[in-house]
Amino acid sequence: MDNNHVLERQDVNVWLNDTALGNIRKEGKLTSLTVPPGVENKLILQYGDNVEAWTLRISPRTRFTEIRGRQKPQEKPTSATKGFLEMLSTTEVFACENSTLFLYQDGHFFLAIGHTMRFPVQLESRSPSTLLVSWVENPASSSASSSSSSLTVKLYHIELGSYNTLSMDTTTDDHYRFAALESCSNYVACVETQTLTCLSTITDPDTPRDFKVTSFNGSSISLAWDCPENNKLSFFLLTTFHLDGLNRVTEEVLSLHNKNNFVFMLSNLEPCGRVRFGFQTVCQKGIESRHSKMVLNDGNAALSSVEALRQSSFGPNNYTLIWEVRNTSSISSFRVHHQGELQGSTLSTSFTVGGLLPCQQYEARVEAMCGDGVLMSSKTITAHTGPHRVSELGYRSNDSTAHWISNSTHHEAVAFLYELPQENGIIIQSSRIKDTELSLFGLEEGKKYVLDVWEECGVQWESEHSQLLFEGSKVSFEILGRVAASSPLTHDFSIFGLKMIVPWSLPEDLLEDDSEPRAEMGKMFKDKLEELLRDFVPPARVELATFEPADDPDKTEVLFMSFNASKTDGGIPLPDEDQLDYIHSLSRSDWIVTDGVIHWSGPDVCASLQRDVCPPDSLCINTFGSYTCVCKHRHYDVSSVSEPLPTSNPLCVAKGLFSQCLNTLVICAIAKPFLTSSLGGKVDVRLNDGSCAMEENEMFYYLRIPRKTSECGTERRVNGSHIEILNTLTVTLSKEQTISRRNLLVVWKCVYPRHYFRNTRLRVDNEWLSSVSLVEFNSSLQLGLTLTLFTDESYTSKYIDAITIAPEDNLFLQVALQNENSFAADVLLRVESCWATESADPQDNIQGVILQDGCAVDETFHWLSVNGQAQKSRCYIQMFSMPRGLPLYIHCLANICGPLEDCTKSCSSEQRSKRSVSRKTIDGNRAGIVSAGPLMVNQRATSGVPPSYWAVHMTMIAIVAGSIGFLGVTVLAMRATKAVMAYVERLRQQ
C-alpha cells in the first residue's frame, strides 16, 4: 500500500502452490491473481522471520470458503486497508469483492482472498502456442486522460520455482494475444491499469503424431503413435467408438495411456465388430486440464466398407453395379437391393439386375454382410437402364432417305442421333432428330458412305450403335426441295442458295471455323437476313451456309438458304427469284440487288471509328449500321458472373479463367468450352474437397462465396500482414471417356491486407447484430421494432454480415414497425434519436450522435421519408469514424404513436447542440431501442491528400458531449473539451 520498498527491505514474499509470486506484485497498486475455484490451494506468506501458511478453497456458487492455517483470517479490513480500498475508482473491479477474508494486514500491505463474477481479466481462447486475454476497461479513466488508453501487458512463466517475466508490451486495445508460447505450460498473464490484474492458466497440448493401425487379424487390432515434437503432455486419451452397419456410434470406451506408452492393442474384438478410434494428448497442471484436437483413425471400419459403388454398364432391360472393399476377410456376402427389394447375394464385387424397363432410373443399394446377417456397411446410388438398339436400318436410293425402326415401346425416345462419314472416316453430317427417317441430300453418286444411328434417352443414355454401308445416289432438285431441312446442321449449298456481299473485311479471329467470335457474327448475319425478309410471304427461316472473304479484299461474301417457316417440317426451300424480287421491291437505299446478288451499301462502322471503342481482348464487328464488341477467340465474356452487374460491353478474359476479390465476396469462374477443348471431351469438375458443387450456366463453371466463410473446403492462409484465400478446381475427363492422358488443376487465389478483416475486437469473424425491440402498445398488443442497414437508396440489399465501408460512402438506415396485426394498422412510428458506439452496448459511454429529438445534428444526415407519417422511416448519413477505430454499431430510439396523436416533428426552428441528447421517452411503454452492426471504416487514404485530423477531432468533441448528455453525467463542458484537445494535440505530434 506504499512505495517505500518495505516489501523488499523486509524480505516479503508469497508462494502459491510452491511457486513464488514476488515478481508479479507492484507496490502502490492492488495486485490480484485469478486461480481455479473449487480446489485446494496452498498459500505461504514470508514476512521477515515470520512464516504463515494456509490451505484454502473457495466455491463461489455455494458461497463456501474453507481456510485452514495457524493464523485466523479477519473478515473486516483495518483502517489502513479500508483507506487504500476507498481510493479505488467505483468502476474498477476489486477481484476479491465477494466473501473477502484478510489473511494479513498492516500499514504497508495486505493479503486477502475472495471471488468475483465480473472477471476483470478473462481468457478468451487458447491454442498450443497462443493465449488471447481480454479485460474490462475503466471508462472514467479512459475518458479523463489518453495516457490510460495505453496499457501494459505482461506474461510470466515458472522458472526455478518462481514466476519470472517472459514478455512485456503495451496496447490500446481491450484484448491481447500472447504468441510463440510452449504447449502444455503454465503462464500468468497480467494487465496493468489502476490495478495489476493477473490470471493463471495453461496452454493447450499439441496433437499426437503418426496415429495409425499397425495390424489387424479379425479378432484384434493394434495401434501405434508418437509424442508431439516438444514431448510436453501429461498422458494420452484413447476413445474407442463401436459402430453399427450404418456408421452410428453404439458405444464409446475411454482409456488413459502413460506418456511413455506408444502402442495399444484392442483384443477379443467380436467377429463382426467395427471400431473407429479418436486419440488426444492431455495436459494437466493441478486441477486444470486441457485436451488436444482429436485425431481420428477409421480402425477396421473402413476395411469392410463398400466403396466406389458405381454403375459400370447398362442395357435396355438391365444395369450392372461394381464396387470395392479393402478387406473381405470379415465379409460373408454382399446383398444387392433394387428399389428396396432384395435381388440376390454374391461373393464377388459386381452384380447385374435384369428384367427392367428401358430408359428408367432406379435406386440400387449394396450391403456388406458378416456372419449370419450382421450388416457391416451399406452404400446407395441411382442406377438406370438405356434405350433399345434401332433395327432394320436401310437406305432408299430413289429419294436418298435412310430409315429404321425404333424398338422402344415403353417410352418416347428423346432423339435419334446419327453420323454420316465418308468411307475414309471424315464426318460430313451429324445431328439429333425425332423422326425414324433421315433425308440425305447432296451426296455424290456412286460414292460409299457409312451411316451410324443410335437411340438416346435421358440426354446421356445411348443405345448400341447400328451401322449401314451404302452408295450415294443422285436426287432431283424437286426432291431436295421437299427435304432440304431434315438435317439442319449441314446442307450442300453448292446446289442452291443466295449470296450477300457486305462492305467490310473479316478480322483474322473470324477466319477459323471453330472461332467463337465467328459464331457471333454468323448469328448476327442470320438475324439481319430474317429481319429483312420479315414480311415475305410465306414467312422465311434463314439457314447460314458460310461467310468468307470476297474477291474484293475489303468485302465479305455470305451464303445462305431460306426455307418456308410455315410448314411443320420447315424444310421446303423458298424460290431465290421471289426473295430477290421482294428485297428489290422494298426500295431501300442500303439494300441493293445486282445480278442475283444482295449488296448492303452501308458504312464500315468499325473501320470509321477514330479510337478503339472495344475493351481489351475483344473485337469490333459491324452490325449493319452500328457495331458491337465480342471477345476474341479463346476469350470469354465473364460479365454475367462478375460484380457489378453486366454492362453493354463484354469483359473478356483469356480461357474464361477469372477471379474477383471483393470486400464481402469472392468470385471465381472458368469457361466450359476452354475445359472441353483442352482435355478433349466432356469433363468432370471437383471443387476443393468435393463438399460443394460448382455452380454453372451455359458458358461457365463459377463460384460465388462470402469472403469470410470457410465452407466448401476453401483454404485460408494467414501471415502477419495478409490473408490468402484459395479455391482449387480439379478437372478430369468424365468417366465416359475410356482413355485420359492429362488432368487440369485450376487454382484461384485472393490476397487481402489484414486490415480489411479487422471487423471485431477479439476475432476475425464477427457475428452480425440485428436486434428486435418489443414495445407494449397497450395491454393486449405488443409490436416489434427493427433497425436494418442497406447498401443504397433502393433499399433492396441489406447488410447481413460485418463489412468494411469507406469514409466517403453513405450508410442507409431503416427503422420499421413489425406489424402483422390488423389492430395496429393505424399506429405510426417516429424515430427520436440515433447514435453510434464502438461496442454492441447502446449505453456505451462514448457515443457519436446522429439524430436527437427527431432532428438531425450531422450535416450529412438526410431523411428519405417523412418521419412520423408511416410505420417505417428511412434516412442516410455519410460514414464516419470514432476515436478508437473499432467496429461501429448503430442504435436508434423510436416511439410508437396512437392514431389520434401528432407523430410528426418540426425541426425548422430548433438547432440543438450535440451535447443535449434527450431520452425523455426511454422509460415510456411505447418506446424501444434497436441496434445493428458491426461496420468497419476503412481509414486508409484513397488519394495523395493527407487525411484531415480536424474532422476527426470535431467528431470526438461531439461524441464526448453526446455521451455526457445521454447518460446524464454532470461534467463540466470545459473539462471535456480540454481532454479532447489534449487528445488532438497528441494526434498532431504523432
Side-chain angles (χ1 to χ4, degrees), residues 271-284:
C272 298
R274 300 176 70 240
V275 291
R276 182 177 292 152
F277 300 98
F279 197 60
Q280 298 168 278
T281 52
V282 180
C283 177
Q284 190 161 13

mmCIF file of all heavy atoms in Angstrom, residues 271-284:
data_model
loop_
_atom_site.group_PDB
_atom_site.id
_atom_site.type_symbol
_atom_site.label_atom_id
_atom_site.label_comp_id
_atom_site.label_asym_id
_atom_site.label_seq_id
_atom_site.Cartn_x
_atom_site.Cartn_y
_atom_site.Cartn_z
ATOM 1 N N PRO A 271 -16.459 -60.971 -33.767
ATOM 2 C CA PRO A 271 -16.193 -61.338 -35.171
ATOM 3 C C PRO A 271 -16.707 -60.320 -36.178
ATOM 4 O O PRO A 271 -16.086 -60.104 -37.205
ATOM 5 C CB PRO A 271 -16.898 -62.691 -35.312
ATOM 6 C CG PRO A 271 -16.941 -63.238 -33.922
ATOM 7 C CD PRO A 271 -17.084 -62.065 -33.006
ATOM 8 N N CYS A 272 -17.825 -59.701 -35.909
ATOM 9 C CA CYS A 272 -18.398 -58.722 -36.851
ATOM 10 C C CYS A 272 -18.342 -57.309 -36.278
ATOM 11 O O CYS A 272 -19.141 -56.447 -36.648
ATOM 12 C CB CYS A 272 -19.837 -59.095 -37.202
ATOM 13 S SG CYS A 272 -19.986 -60.696 -38.026
ATOM 14 N N GLY A 273 -17.418 -57.092 -35.350
ATOM 15 C CA GLY A 273 -17.319 -55.782 -34.719
ATOM 16 C C GLY A 273 -16.621 -54.759 -35.605
ATOM 17 O O GLY A 273 -15.674 -55.087 -36.332
ATOM 18 N N ARG A 274 -17.084 -53.523 -35.548
ATOM 19 C CA ARG A 274 -16.484 -52.422 -36.298
ATOM 20 C C ARG A 274 -16.149 -51.304 -35.321
ATOM 21 O O ARG A 274 -16.999 -50.890 -34.531
ATOM 22 C CB ARG A 274 -17.427 -51.899 -37.390
ATOM 23 C CG ARG A 274 -17.820 -52.940 -38.413
ATOM 24 C CD ARG A 274 -18.837 -52.392 -39.407
ATOM 25 N NE ARG A 274 -18.255 -51.395 -40.295
ATOM 26 C CZ ARG A 274 -18.670 -50.138 -40.400
ATOM 27 N NH1 ARG A 274 -19.655 -49.711 -39.640
ATOM 28 N NH2 ARG A 274 -18.107 -49.306 -41.245
ATOM 29 N N VAL A 275 -14.920 -50.843 -35.347
ATOM 30 C CA VAL A 275 -14.479 -49.812 -34.409
ATOM 31 C C VAL A 275 -13.747 -48.710 -35.165
ATOM 32 O O VAL A 275 -13.136 -48.937 -36.214
ATOM 33 C CB VAL A 275 -13.558 -50.392 -33.317
ATOM 34 C CG1 VAL A 275 -14.327 -51.293 -32.377
ATOM 35 C CG2 VAL A 275 -12.369 -51.113 -33.931
ATOM 36 N N ARG A 276 -13.840 -47.518 -34.597
ATOM 37 C CA ARG A 276 -13.103 -46.349 -35.051
ATOM 38 C C ARG A 276 -12.467 -45.716 -33.811
ATOM 39 O O ARG A 276 -13.006 -45.837 -32.714
ATOM 40 C CB ARG A 276 -14.045 -45.374 -35.758
ATOM 41 C CG ARG A 276 -13.370 -44.134 -36.322
ATOM 42 C CD ARG A 276 -14.368 -43.271 -37.055
ATOM 43 N NE ARG A 276 -14.846 -43.932 -38.268
ATOM 44 C CZ ARG A 276 -16.033 -43.738 -38.817
ATOM 45 N NH1 ARG A 276 -16.891 -42.917 -38.233
ATOM 46 N NH2 ARG A 276 -16.379 -44.356 -39.917
ATOM 47 N N PHE A 277 -11.353 -45.047 -33.966
ATOM 48 C CA PHE A 277 -10.621 -44.537 -32.815
ATOM 49 C C PHE A 277 -10.424 -43.025 -32.915
ATOM 50 O O PHE A 277 -10.273 -42.467 -34.003
ATOM 51 C CB PHE A 277 -9.242 -45.201 -32.710
ATOM 52 C CG PHE A 277 -9.304 -46.693 -32.549
ATOM 53 C CD1 PHE A 277 -9.142 -47.523 -33.652
ATOM 54 C CD2 PHE A 277 -9.537 -47.264 -31.311
ATOM 55 C CE1 PHE A 277 -9.193 -48.897 -33.519
ATOM 56 C CE2 PHE A 277 -9.596 -48.641 -31.171
ATOM 57 C CZ PHE A 277 -9.430 -49.458 -32.272
ATOM 58 N N GLY A 278 -10.428 -42.391 -31.726
ATOM 59 C CA GLY A 278 -10.047 -40.991 -31.599
ATOM 60 C C GLY A 278 -8.938 -40.878 -30.573
ATOM 61 O O GLY A 278 -8.990 -41.515 -29.509
ATOM 62 N N PHE A 279 -7.921 -40.050 -30.850
ATOM 63 C CA PHE A 279 -6.739 -40.015 -29.995
ATOM 64 C C PHE A 279 -6.388 -38.572 -29.678
ATOM 65 O O PHE A 279 -6.406 -37.696 -30.549
ATOM 66 C CB PHE A 279 -5.571 -40.705 -30.713
ATOM 67 C CG PHE A 279 -4.448 -41.085 -29.782
ATOM 68 C CD1 PHE A 279 -4.669 -41.947 -28.720
ATOM 69 C CD2 PHE A 279 -3.173 -40.584 -29.980
ATOM 70 C CE1 PHE A 279 -3.624 -42.304 -27.874
ATOM 71 C CE2 PHE A 279 -2.137 -40.937 -29.141
ATOM 72 C CZ PHE A 279 -2.365 -41.806 -28.080
ATOM 73 N N GLN A 280 -6.068 -38.293 -28.382
ATOM 74 C CA GLN A 280 -5.751 -36.938 -27.926
ATOM 75 C C GLN A 280 -4.606 -36.981 -26.928
ATOM 76 O O GLN A 280 -4.422 -37.977 -26.218
ATOM 77 C CB GLN A 280 -6.971 -36.293 -27.251
ATOM 78 C CG GLN A 280 -8.178 -36.126 -28.144
ATOM 79 C CD GLN A 280 -9.404 -35.763 -27.339
ATOM 80 O OE1 GLN A 280 -10.053 -36.635 -26.759
ATOM 81 N NE2 GLN A 280 -9.723 -34.487 -27.291
ATOM 82 N N THR A 281 -3.861 -35.887 -26.871
ATOM 83 C CA THR A 281 -2.937 -35.668 -25.759
ATOM 84 C C THR A 281 -3.652 -34.819 -24.726
ATOM 85 O O THR A 281 -4.490 -33.973 -25.054
ATOM 86 C CB THR A 281 -1.655 -34.966 -26.227
ATOM 87 O OG1 THR A 281 -2.025 -33.782 -26.953
ATOM 88 C CG2 THR A 281 -0.843 -35.862 -27.127
ATOM 89 N N VAL A 282 -3.313 -35.044 -23.445
ATOM 90 C CA VAL A 282 -3.943 -34.329 -22.335
ATOM 91 C C VAL A 282 -2.855 -33.640 -21.532
ATOM 92 O O VAL A 282 -1.816 -34.244 -21.235
ATOM 93 C CB VAL A 282 -4.748 -35.282 -21.434
ATOM 94 C CG1 VAL A 282 -5.398 -34.513 -20.288
ATOM 95 C CG2 VAL A 282 -5.808 -36.011 -22.244
ATOM 96 N N CYS A 283 -3.091 -32.381 -21.224
ATOM 97 C CA CYS A 283 -2.179 -31.598 -20.385
ATOM 98 C C CYS A 283 -2.890 -31.301 -19.076
ATOM 99 O O CYS A 283 -3.984 -30.714 -19.085
ATOM 100 C CB CYS A 283 -1.778 -30.308 -21.095
ATOM 101 S SG CYS A 283 -0.733 -29.211 -20.123
ATOM 102 N N GLN A 284 -2.310 -31.695 -17.947
ATOM 103 C CA GLN A 284 -2.935 -31.481 -16.639
ATOM 104 C C GLN A 284 -1.937 -30.793 -15.728
ATOM 105 O O GLN A 284 -0.845 -31.300 -15.475
ATOM 106 C CB GLN A 284 -3.392 -32.797 -16.022
ATOM 107 C CG GLN A 284 -4.256 -32.609 -14.788
ATOM 108 C CD GLN A 284 -5.054 -33.850 -14.464
ATOM 109 O OE1 GLN A 284 -4.809 -34.910 -14.997
ATOM 110 N NE2 GLN A 284 -6.013 -33.707 -13.570
#
